[in-house]
Amino acid sequence: MELRQVEHFLAVVEHGSFTAAARATRIVQSALSTSIRNLERELGGALFERTTRRVTLSEAGRAFLPGARRLLTEAGAAANAVRAVAGLHRGRVAIGMIQWLGPVDLPAELSRFHRDYPEIQISVLNAPVSVLLDRLRDGELDLAYLAADGALPDDTVGRTVFREDLLLITPPGHRLAGHPRVSWAELDGEPFVDFADGTAVTGIIRRLSTQLGLHRRVVGQVTQLDLQLDLVRNGLGVAIVQGTLARSTHGVAVAELADPSIRWEVSLVSRAPGPVNPAAVALLDHLVPAS
């Protein structure tokens, strides 16, 4: 049964004849008659009693009428709901973020987006990159800020937000404090305060340390940036953190890393080939306008 057939049935009921119904629905009478006959065949009974003078509902037609009206009303409501979402008059969008977004003031940006689209509900998840990727692939997130030192996974697509170096931070009295540049070899045997597993920075540091044959003594591992900075500031160990974070932190010494330096990239990412949710498309364009 097609919605068009139900519309034709209700038009005949409303206008009292096939001729008037065809005129109202703007189709030829033969096509409308065929549509009604096909509907009756599918339902298994005649919906109208036809005479040379008039068309009236049959008993089966009277039984079908309330449901037909309800079906058309619900279909109209469903279509309106889709149009409201597509027109950004309602809907929701879910975005994920890593703990440090550098120059991105996400709360301010989301507030501006809300002023433009007040009926869009926004949810935000703060989690490591590995978790954000899983939620993105499962469809729980529309967008996510992801950090990496290489290409994005093949099943994602993103727009670059910013790039920056990772820097070394040490306690003020540390033997390397005051050095503008520190080689990785000078960090061999140093106690490190690492960030949580599954985060981009931790993955980059571990991979590079293994490649260089560097022995790091991990004396602490945390899930909050403020705690990591406090532990370094109080002398528990050293850490490698994002450049903007390092340079904005008081009470620690900052040095560039050499041989090699590390540059990472933060992108706003969706599942490939791009977000389908209209609210997510609008938010992506708001946060990182397409070039």
Side-chain angles (χ1 to χ4, degrees):
M1 179 172 58
E2 299 177 6
L3 192 61
R4 174 178 52 83
Q5 295 170 322
V6 177
E7 291 174 343
H8 293 163
F9 165 77
L10 292 174
V12 174
V13 172
E14 180 181 354
H15 295 282
S17 75
F18 281 71
T19 302
R23 189 181 303 116
T25 54
R26 297 182 179 180
I27 62 172
V28 297
Q29 184 174 333
S30 59
L32 184 135
S33 298
T34 299
S35 177
I36 295 295
R37 281 197 301 271
N38 289 339
L39 177 60
E40 290 174 325
R41 189 179 302 114
E42 290 182 38
L43 295 176
L47 298 174
F48 296 101
E49 293 180 1
R50 300 166 177 85
T51 70
T52 56
R53 294 186 177 182
R54 62 177 185 165
V55 175
T56 60
L57 280 171
S58 67
E59 195 62 34
R62 282 190 289 271
F64 181 62
L65 181 59
R69 285 174 171 161
R70 186 166 56 250
L71 179 63
L72 204 61
T73 299
E74 291 175 353
N80 288 336
V82 171
R83 283 191 286 268
V85 170
L88 300 175
H89 302 301
R90 60 176 290 192
R92 69 178 80 186
V93 59
I95 183 170
M97 60 174 289
I98 51 180
Q99 283 210 28
W100 181 254
L101 287 181
V104 179
D105 188 348
L106 186 58
E109 292 296 341
L110 292 181
S111 294
R112 280 191 281 272
F113 179 79
H114 176 69
R115 286 196 292 272
D116 291 337
Y117 304 103
E119 301 305 318
I120 302 298
Q121 180 184 354
I122 305 168
S123 62
V124 182
L125 172 67
N126 187 302
V129 167
S130 56
V131 174
L132 296 178
L133 263 175
D134 287 342
R135 300 288 177 87
L136 197 64
R137 287 165 172 155
D138 291 342
E140 296 179 39
L141 291 175
D142 296 294
L143 303 168
Y145 283 98
L146 300 183
D149 64 335
L152 293 170
D154 291 339
D155 56 349
T156 66
V157 61
R159 299 179 190 175
T160 301
V161 178
F162 68 94
R163 300 178 180 88
E164 65 177 347
D165 289 336
L166 298 181
L167 302 179
L168 175 72
I169 59 172
T170 68
H174 191 273
R175 65 182 180 84
L176 297 175
H179 293 212
R181 291 168 63 86
V182 173
S183 70
W184 283 81
E186 293 177 274
L187 298 176
D188 194 65
E190 278 291 329
F192 272 78
V193 180
D194 274 1
F195 205 64
D197 291 335
T199 58
V201 172
T202 300
I204 292 169
I205 296 169
R206 288 179 178 175
R207 176 183 55 76
L208 196 53
S209 297
T210 300
Q211 290 176 355
L212 297 174
L214 179 69
H215 171 62
R216 295 186 316 118
R217 292 192 300 117
V218 179
V219 296
Q221 189 169 31
V222 301
T223 58
Q224 295 294 324
L225 284 175
D226 288 345
L227 180 57
Q228 184 184 31
L229 300 174
D230 284 341
L231 290 175
V232 172
R233 190 181 292 116
N234 284 279
L236 183 64
V238 303
I240 296 173
V241 300
Q242 300 88 334
T244 50
L245 176 61
R247 297 194 187 284
S248 65
T249 299
H250 300 291
V252 298
V254 180
E256 294 180 359
L257 288 163
D259 306 321
S261 59
I262 319 176
R263 192 163 181 80
W264 81 332
E265 183 172 288
V266 175
S267 300
L268 186 53
V269 177
S270 70
R271 294 181 300 281
V276 175
N277 177 2
V281 174
L283 181 57
L284 175 60
D285 287 338
H286 172 82
L287 294 171
V288 192
S291 56

